[in-house]
Amino acid sequence: MTRWLVTGAGGQLGTDLVAVLSERGIDVVGLPRARLDVGDAPAVDAAVRGADVVVNAAAYTDVDGAETDESTAWRVNAEAPRALAAACARHGARLVHLSTDYVFAGTAHDPYDEHDPPGPRNAYGRSKLAGETAVLATLPSAYVVRTAWVYGGAGRNFVKTIARLAPERETLAVVDDQRGSPTWSRDLAHGLVALVERAPDPAIYHCTNAGVTTWCGLARAVFEELD
């Protein structure tokens, strides 16, 4: 039986991925941050040993915090993925590494595709792009999956924040000049499983839900669902 390992299993994607795999009867080990520091190379090597598929859902995701603590963002988002890819190479495991739309400048009028040149404009994006580069240089057979605007039942996210504030305020000020595709973490989890099962050529892939809106539009949708 194929054995999966999920790092960052305490986050919204990691939680849903472990649940989806378990529901399908797949042998999975989920390691949240409290059980595995992805920056600890020996611990990562020991965790990967015996795994057939590794999904790296661990990340430093505090976009604003990365501006003042770029070294921590770099350690988790760039150096740790390199060590994980090296461990997968040593033990013959397949690797799926999660990345983000923040590797792009965000100035395009059309959706980015996998062949568009990256150009991160903040520390978080730079650290995630460095992680992509490190993974593919260390393990060319890896899958790098970029996603965007993820929300789910676990962890903190925009949808949960709006849902919490809605009963407290009659109006909210939300930016309306950024567009993206809100992505339910459970759908993303199913997409990652499908990717591994179909085993296409190793490459960078984009995976989000369909549709486009702004942060303001998403907030309105949350308000409507709560009415």
Side-chain angles (χ1 to χ4, degrees), residues 8-34:
Q12 51 193 357
L13 173 59
T15 297
D16 280 343
L17 182 56
V18 169
V20 166
L21 291 167
S22 298
E23 290 165 5
R24 298 183 58 167
I26 296 174
D27 181 17
V28 56
V29 175
L31 295 178
R33 181 172 55 185

Side-chain angles (χ1 to χ4, degrees), residues 114-153:
E114 292 86 345
H115 304 292
D116 286 324
R121 302 179 69 179
N122 57 26
Y124 170 67
R126 290 192 294 271
S127 70
K128 291 297 289 183
L129 179 59
E132 291 185 6
T133 303
V135 164
L136 293 174
T138 306
L139 185 66
S141 62
Y143 298 115
V144 169
V145 179
R146 294 170 178 154
T147 191
W149 293 32
V150 178
Y151 66 96

Side-chain angles (χ1 to χ4, degrees), residues 1 9 11 13 26 30 33 42 66 74 77 82 85 100 118 128 136 142 159 169 176 184 186 202 212-213 226:
M1 178 182 290
L13 173 59
I26 296 174
R33 181 172 55 185
W74 201 267
N77 293 343
R82 184 194 304 276
T100 173
K128 291 297 289 183
L136 293 174
V159 170
R169 305 182 187 180
D176 199 33
W184 188 31
R186 193 170 181 86
V212 176
T213 188
L226 294 173

Side-chain angles (χ1 to χ4, degrees), residues 71-227:
S71 61
T72 298
W74 201 267
R75 173 179 176 269
V76 178
N77 293 343
E79 295 172 3
R82 184 194 304 276
L84 187 59
C88 288
R90 283 191 295 272
H91 298 295
R94 300 166 71 186
L95 175 61
V96 180
H97 173 67
L98 270 295
S99 192
T100 173
D101 59 326
Y102 275 88
V103 301
F104 295 110
T107 55
H109 297 290
D110 296 315
Y112 288 102
D113 68 28
E114 292 86 345
H115 304 292
D116 286 324
R121 302 179 69 179
N122 57 26
Y124 170 67
R126 290 192 294 271
S127 70
K128 291 297 289 183
L129 179 59
E132 291 185 6
T133 303
V135 164
L136 293 174
T138 306
L139 185 66
S141 62
Y143 298 115
V144 169
V145 179
R146 294 170 178 154
T147 191
W149 293 32
V150 178
Y151 66 96
R156 296 180 298 174
N157 56 64
F158 179 83
V159 170
K160 291 175 73 173
T161 298
I162 296 299
R164 174 176 55 82
L165 294 175
E168 303 172 4
R169 305 182 187 180
E170 292 185 3
T171 60
L172 288 173
V174 181
V175 296
D176 199 33
D177 60 349
Q178 300 175 37
R179 302 180 67 80
S181 297
T183 302
W184 188 31
S185 54
R186 193 170 181 86
D187 283 345
L188 178 57
H190 280 291
L192 297 178
V193 175
L195 176 69
V196 172
E197 290 180 339
R198 293 171 186 170
D201 291 337
I204 295 174
Y205 293 90
H206 289 181
C207 183
T208 66
N209 278 130
V212 176
T213 188
T214 64
W215 289 116
C216 185
L218 180 55
R220 288 196 182 102
V222 175
F223 267 83
E224 290 171 2
E225 289 294 322
L226 294 173
D227 284 343

